[in-house]
Amino acid sequence: MDEKKLIKKALEAKENAYVPYSNFHVGAAILTEDGKVYTGCNIEIASYSPTICAERTAVFKAISEGSKKVKTIAIAGESEFTYPCGVCRQVLREFGQDVKIIIVNSEDDYREHTLEELLPYSFGPKDLKKTESGEGNV
Ligand code: THU
């Protein structure tokens, strides 16, 4: 799966966004380290707080299907370049410290970042290693 294909998948996933309140469509596509692809869109709920971003939909689908690590994520939103929110950055951090993040404007116009760039000095599983319950990823 090359980057172009992942970008296309993110743009396709955006079409499924359920956004009756914001009308802000977002799609995401993830390539996991075991070579699988998962997509997600944002889903809004009338009482607002249960709303979930496209990125987290895709990550949770991947993890719940048995994949362990995110390698690359492509994100296509409604603004020219839609960057992941802070919560999604933290969720990505949990499942891959070296995630490549592709912010998509169109199939031919996109930017690449590392998670380290978007979430420097992150708090993560490593910080909990010394405690009894610190059994997450590194
Ligand atoms: N949203 C995403 O799905 N991903 C982002 O990176 C930014 C925000 C969603 C949440 C909500 O449904 C809508 O966009 C407006 O905030």
Side-chain angles (χ1 to χ4, degrees):
M1 168 69 58
D2 63 23
E3 285 181 3
K4 287 275 182 189
K5 283 189 191 154
L6 208 61
I7 287 167
K8 254 193 173 166
K9 291 255 180 204
L11 287 163
E12 279 168 20
K14 185 176 154 182
E15 289 172 24
N16 292 330
Y18 174 76
V19 288
Y21 311 108
S22 74
N23 200 32
F24 192 91
H25 300 69
V26 187
I30 281 177
L31 174 66
T32 51
E33 279 198 354
D34 54 359
K36 294 185 179 156
V37 173
Y38 300 89
T39 59
C41 62
N42 53 335
I43 301 168
E44 297 179 346
I45 305 300
S47 58
Y48 295 167
S49 67
T51 292
I52 188 160
C53 292
E55 298 90 325
R56 270 176 291 147
T57 303
V59 171
F60 294 156
K61 279 171 72 177
I63 301 306
S64 65
E65 293 296 321
S67 290
K68 305 289 183 211
K69 282 217 154 193
V70 177
K71 203 172 166 195
T72 310
I73 182 168
I75 303 160
E78 202 75 55
S79 44
E80 204 180 355
F81 292 99
T82 303
Y83 280 77
C85 77
V87 172
C88 289
R89 292 177 198 206
Q90 188 68 42
V91 169
L92 286 166
R93 165 69 185 82
E94 185 76 21
F95 300 108
Q97 231 178 323
D98 310 319
V99 182
K100 183 196 281 186
I101 300 175
I102 305 173
I103 310 293
V104 180
N105 180 30
S106 69
E107 262 185 66
D108 302 311
D109 186 18
Y110 53 89
R111 298 174 181 164
E112 290 188 6
H113 295 280
T114 60
L115 181 64
E116 179 67 26
E117 279 178 274
L118 301 191
L119 192 69
Y121 305 105
S122 67
F123 181 86
K126 65 172 174 13
D127 295 292
L128 299 177
K129 280 285 177 203
K130 283 181 187 157
T131 68
E132 272 181 43
S133 56
E135 290 172 357
N137 299 325
V138 180

